[in-house]
Amino acid sequence: MQNMYRSPTSSSITSLLLFPLYSWYHAGFDTEPELNDKDFLEVDQIYPFERRWGDFSMCHWPSSLVKASDVKSIHVDNRTLAYTFAALNEHSLSVYLNSEGTDRDNSIAHTQEGERGEGGGGDERRGVLEGKININKKNEQQTEYDQKRCHHDREEQETVISFSHFVPRQELCPEKRFLVEPYLPRVIGSDVLEHQVRRLHPHLHLFGHTHIPIDITLEGQRYVQWCLGYPREATKQCADVYKHGPLLVYDSSLGVGANAVPSPLPSESAYWSVRFRTHSRQPQDMTLSPWLRTRLEGYKARIDGPNPLTKLLEAYQTNSSPADASK
């Protein structure tokens, strides 16, 4: 495919650097207390989240890279995939953080040429997938140095916007009692992704995956998700997105640096943006939201009697056809 970039791209027309960050999730990203609600535990015991989560059945990885059972479990914190994808970001991060001005622009342009299309970087990617390239995690002092140096050097020159599919911080996802799938935090984010975002310290980091619009700043870093979601979510958590349309996050006429990010953005008035600005996070609260309670009651109604869900579960356990079970 022509003109598709898979590495940081600097515009020759405006002072904008777009910085993609590869990522994958790991279960240990979730560090908050588990729900102890009786109905939730009963439903999950009979119809486990691992059986419902599509990635676990549709994503397949080289056996030489990772043990399948480890990455298809929310109870094993295997970080191999998280670090493998993060390793793909290290070259571009190093180029950007360790060069300045014109030299940096030239280095980024060279990276673009190497990353365009199917060529370039193949040996490094193969090395990562084969487990031959590891990430050297920097200590907090070095990360702080990178942030200060990077931000000061580029502040008056350009606007940096990074983006990832997965979530950098758990605080960007509502607490478990508000989620229709309380185990969701175990399959959404990566600690090493957050580490890389902190090193880069962009003016704005965009992310997705959870289908929950939000715009908040945590410890000096702004994060935004503005998602269409599934059609069934258009009247629910994604209603603001359908109401306002696409989000303009960069306008060169406003200047450079953070000034080029329009303000205010519609994302700032999204439900969870407002809630987290006005309410402290309380993961220890085990009071289920009404929508989660309703969802669990629906599961229980289908589980407690002779019904299609019970037959479907029996089919999985006996390896018979789910179609037969629905009759």
Side-chain angles (χ1 to χ4, degrees):
M1 185 176 293
Q2 295 294 319
N3 300 320
M4 177 173 285
Y5 299 96
R6 296 179 292 185
S7 62
T9 301
S10 184
S11 170
S12 59
I13 301 175
T14 62
S15 301
L16 171 67
L17 175 65
L18 294 176
F19 211 109
L21 292 171
Y22 292 91
S23 57
W24 196 263
Y25 52 78
H26 60 94
F29 177 78
D30 174 18
T31 60
E32 295 184 345
E34 294 303 324
L35 293 182
N36 56 14
D37 180 82
K38 179 175 66 68
D39 290 340
F40 165 67
L41 296 175
E42 180 182 348
V43 167
D44 191 70
Q45 182 178 11
I46 297 174
Y47 192 23
F49 173 79
E50 290 158 321
R51 184 174 291 166
R52 303 194 301 271
W53 187 243
D55 287 355
F56 291 167
S57 61
M58 293 186 284
C59 297
H60 303 278
W61 308 99
S63 58
S64 59
L65 174 64
V66 66
K67 187 178 178 181
S69 59
D70 286 350
V71 292
K72 295 184 178 183
S73 170
I74 60 171
H75 303 290
V76 177
D77 186 29
N78 187 305
R79 303 191 177 203
T80 300
L81 294 176
Y83 277 86
T84 297
F85 278 90
L88 298 174
N89 304 323
E90 282 299 303
H91 174 69
S92 298
L93 279 170
S94 296
V95 167
Y96 185 73
L97 294 173
N98 296 317
S99 54
E100 302 181 11
T102 303
D103 289 339
R104 180 172 62 213
D105 294 338
N106 291 336
S107 296
I108 291 172
H110 178 72
T111 300
Q112 292 170 4
E113 290 298 324
E115 295 291 331
R116 187 181 295 139
E118 295 302 319
D123 290 341
E124 183 177 78
R125 290 196 186 91
R126 281 193 294 274
V128 171
L129 291 175
E130 293 171 3
K132 296 177 181 177
I133 296 178
N134 297 315
I135 295 175
N136 296 316
K137 294 182 67 176
K138 296 188 176 184
N139 58 35
E140 292 182 3
Q141 184 177 6
Q142 182 63 43
T143 300
E144 182 178 2
Y145 169 78
D146 282 342
Q147 285 182 351
K148 289 181 178 178
R149 176 181 180 280
C150 177
H151 199 274
H152 173 75
D153 181 42
R154 59 107 192 278
E155 185 65 43
E156 301 303 323
Q157 300 180 38
E158 60 194 352
T159 301
V160 178
I161 298 178
S162 60
F163 58 95
S164 61
H165 175 79
F166 293 107
V167 184
R169 296 180 65 128
Q170 188 168 2
E171 298 97 319
L172 299 172
C173 180
E175 298 98 310
K176 295 184 175 94
R177 69 185 186 279
F178 294 118
L179 301 173
V180 293
E181 291 289 1
Y183 279 127
L184 188 68
R186 298 194 182 187
V187 291
I188 63 171
S190 162
D191 292 335
V192 68
L193 170 61
E194 167 67 359
H195 185 76
Q196 291 179 327
V197 171
R198 288 282 153 180
R199 285 167 59 197
L200 179 62
H201 197 35
H203 295 99
L204 187 64
H205 181 78
L206 308 175
F207 68 99
H209 190 57
T210 57
H211 297 195
I212 300 173
I214 191 171
D215 182 339
I216 59 175
T217 298
L218 298 170
E219 298 177 348
Q221 178 61 58
R222 187 176 181 181
Y223 305 86
V224 173
Q225 177 175 191
W226 192 246
C227 46
L228 285 172
Y230 297 120
R232 65 176 181 270
E233 296 168 331
T235 58
K236 299 177 181 178
Q237 73 266 30
C238 297
D240 286 339
V241 180
Y242 283 83
K243 175 182 177 181
H244 294 284
L247 194 67
L248 177 67
V249 296
Y250 174 78
D251 186 344
S252 61
S253 69
L254 298 177
V256 294
N259 292 330
V261 179
S263 180
L265 290 176
S267 52
E268 296 176 52
S269 60
Y271 176 84
W272 291 105
S273 305
V274 175
R275 179 177 176 84
F276 284 135
R277 284 199 302 270
T278 57
H279 294 75
S280 61
R281 190 175 182 86
Q282 309 232 345
Q284 71 280 1
D285 187 344
M286 299 292 163
T287 306
L288 302 193
S289 62
W291 51 88
L292 175 54
R293 180 65 67 189
T294 299
R295 185 178 177 88
L296 292 175
E297 289 173 355
Y299 275 132
K300 282 180 62 62
R302 299 171 66 193
I303 288 173
D304 289 341
N307 51 67
L309 179 58
T310 301
K311 294 180 181 179
L312 182 63
L313 295 176
E314 291 173 352
Y316 276 111
Q317 292 167 357
T318 60
N319 295 320
S320 59
S321 170
D324 294 338
S326 64
K327 295 177 181 178

